[in-house]
Amino acid sequence: MEEKMSKNYTKLLIAALLAALVITGLLAGCAKPVESSGEKPPKDSDITAPDSGVIKGSEDEIIDTAKDTISIAVDREPASLDPVIYVTNWNSQDQIYEGLVKYELDGSISPCLAESFEQVDDVTWKFKLREDVYFHNGEHMTSADVLYSFKRAMSYPQAAAVLSNLDPESFEAPDDYTFILKTKTPYAFILQNLCETYLSITNQKAVEDAGSPEKFGRSPVGTGAYKFVSWTAGDRITLTKFDEYWGEQAKVQNVVVKIITEATTRTIDLESGGSDINWVVASEDYERIANGDKTNVLMYTAGSY
């Protein structure tokens, strides 16, 4: 049976996996790490979701803001960076794209590209959009982009299946900064649904200028704190800070997502300083990294279906 993972929830309660990093490296805006005690890894039954804002160790001990580039080693290459296409690795997508709303560390949902929202009736939701958002191609974001993004997502079968509670005939943009949608029936989890990567806001001009969905997926344009620079197949994806970002500026200029499929090679690359973060640590390497002189271990809890 094919297992589908809720990509939206992993953005903040990121993944039920082990991640390791050199202590001087972390992206701005990411959850800050809990330092390892060097003890044996806990059993699954002992792992609990992090409290809101949980931090052990000061930010100065974790993030070297003078560092120009952070390298993240991942275990696989995504098929595409188009948000309407399901991928098993979305480290890059999370930096490039944003949605109307987002998850906070405690699992609550707050506005993002929508500065506010309200439930009008049992099935109708109205979103007031931010007026200071620009895409990485310089285009100003309006409700037309939201309308385009939602309709586009619903035209892709896999996305439409996940978003089946939305009524695609109800999407409406009555003015430049208002977006309205309806669900088919009263639905308690609509805000969680809107956190899906599928509903990341894209720019119609950028998609059309790319020439095809495949080409857009290899040269994506979003509104996030980092913008796409290049993709070397089988090797790396490079991002750089977006200076016109509407929110808090990223603390590190560049992000390099290194594609290293072999687990031991990822561990060696981390220990040698080739990468700052190993996103997926093999269980047999846990204690080695937890007890390393220059490495730290983080553990995340995920919600999925």
Side-chain angles (χ1 to χ4, degrees), residues 56-70:
K56 294 184 179 180
S58 71
E59 182 175 292
D60 290 341
E61 293 174 323
I62 303 301
I63 301 174
D64 179 5
T65 55
K67 193 174 181 67
D68 180 69
T69 300
I70 291 292

Side-chain angles (χ1 to χ4, degrees), residues 131-208:
E131 299 184 16
D132 57 350
V133 178
Y134 288 85
F135 289 97
H136 300 153
N137 63 350
E139 293 288 310
H140 185 214
M141 189 198 77
T142 69
S143 59
D145 297 297
V146 179
L147 183 62
Y148 170 77
S149 300
F150 272 62
K151 286 186 173 181
R152 183 170 184 259
M154 297 299 287
S155 72
Y156 280 73
Q158 189 166 29
V162 174
L163 306 171
S164 60
N165 292 288
L166 297 180
D167 177 6
E169 300 301 320
S170 72
F171 302 155
E172 182 182 354
D175 60 54
D176 283 350
Y177 300 105
T178 302
F179 178 69
I180 297 172
L181 65 81
K182 294 182 179 181
T183 55
K184 294 175 181 176
T185 60
Y187 182 56
F189 302 104
I190 178 60
L191 293 178
Q192 285 81 357
N193 228 184
L194 297 184
C195 289
E196 288 283 352
T197 301
Y198 294 123
L199 291 178
S200 299
I201 306 306
T202 54
N203 175 246
Q204 183 172 0
K205 182 178 185 300
V207 175
E208 292 176 348

Side-chain angles (χ1 to χ4, degrees), residues 235-254:
D235 183 43
R236 65 187 59 208
I237 296 169
T238 302
L239 313 174
T240 194
K241 182 171 71 171
F242 181 41
D243 291 333
E244 287 73 44
Y245 182 57
W246 63 268
E248 181 183 356
Q249 286 288 306
K251 297 178 182 178
V252 179
Q253 181 66 39
N254 304 303

Side-chain angles (χ1 to χ4, degrees), residues 10 239 267 290:
T10 58
L239 313 174
T267 297

Side-chain angles (χ1 to χ4, degrees), residues 2-268:
E2 178 184 0
E3 180 180 277
K4 298 179 182 177
M5 178 167 287
S6 177
K7 294 185 285 183
N8 63 66
Y9 206 63
T10 58
K11 285 189 176 181
L12 269 300
L13 299 181
I14 305 177
L17 48 77
L18 301 178
L21 68 157
V22 171
I23 197 167
T24 56
L26 250 198
L27 296 180
C30 291
K32 299 181 178 94
V34 178
E35 294 191 18
S36 169
S37 64
E39 298 175 354
K40 292 183 178 180
K43 297 178 293 185
D44 288 346
S45 59
D46 296 331
I47 300 174
T48 57
D51 295 330
S52 176
V54 60
I55 301 172
K56 294 184 179 180
S58 71
E59 182 175 292
D60 290 341
E61 293 174 323
I62 303 301
I63 301 174
D64 179 5
T65 55
K67 193 174 181 67
D68 180 69
T69 300
I70 291 292
S71 296
I72 306 172
V74 299
D75 62 339
R76 66 197 72 184
E77 183 170 20
S80 173
L81 291 179
D82 188 332
V84 298
I85 298 174
Y86 176 77
V87 297
T88 55
N89 180 324
W90 43 87
N91 303 75
S92 301
Q93 282 187 331
D94 289 351
Q95 311 300 327
I96 296 170
Y97 298 110
E98 297 171 302
L100 294 180
V101 293
K102 65 180 181 179
Y103 277 110
E104 298 293 347
L105 284 171
D106 62 359
S108 63
I109 293 175
S110 63
C112 187
L113 296 182
E115 66 179 19
S116 64
F117 53 85
E118 63 174 309
Q119 184 175 9
V120 178
D121 56 40
D122 284 351
V123 297
T124 307
W125 291 77
K126 180 187 288 187
F127 298 83
K128 173 64 175 175
L129 305 183
R130 299 188 61 90
E131 299 184 16
D132 57 350
V133 178
Y134 288 85
F135 289 97
H136 300 153
N137 63 350
E139 293 288 310
H140 185 214
M141 189 198 77
T142 69
S143 59
D145 297 297
V146 179
L147 183 62
Y148 170 77
S149 300
F150 272 62
K151 286 186 173 181
R152 183 170 184 259
M154 297 299 287
S155 72
Y156 280 73
Q158 189 166 29
V162 174
L163 306 171
S164 60
N165 292 288
L166 297 180
D167 177 6
E169 300 301 320
S170 72
F171 302 155
E172 182 182 354
D175 60 54
D176 283 350
Y177 300 105
T178 302
F179 178 69
I180 297 172
L181 65 81
K182 294 182 179 181
T183 55
K184 294 175 181 176
T185 60
Y187 182 56
F189 302 104
I190 178 60
L191 293 178
Q192 285 81 357
N193 228 184
L194 297 184
C195 289
E196 288 283 352
T197 301
Y198 294 123
L199 291 178
S200 299
I201 306 306
T202 54
N203 175 246
Q204 183 172 0
K205 182 178 185 300
V207 175
E208 292 176 348
D209 285 351
S212 70
E214 292 76 20
K215 289 181 179 179
F216 179 74
R218 302 290 296 193
S219 185
V221 172
T223 63
Y226 285 91
K227 62 182 181 179
F228 176 83
V229 175
S230 63
W231 184 345
T232 303
D235 183 43
R236 65 187 59 208
I237 296 169
T238 302
L239 313 174
T240 194
K241 182 171 71 171
F242 181 41
D243 291 333
E244 287 73 44
Y245 182 57
W246 63 268
E248 181 183 356
Q249 286 288 306
K251 297 178 182 178
V252 179
Q253 181 66 39
N254 304 303
V255 177
V256 176
V257 179
K258 301 177 66 176
I259 301 157
I260 305 176
T261 58
E262 208 281 315
T264 301
T265 304
R266 286 196 305 276
T267 297
I268 294 171

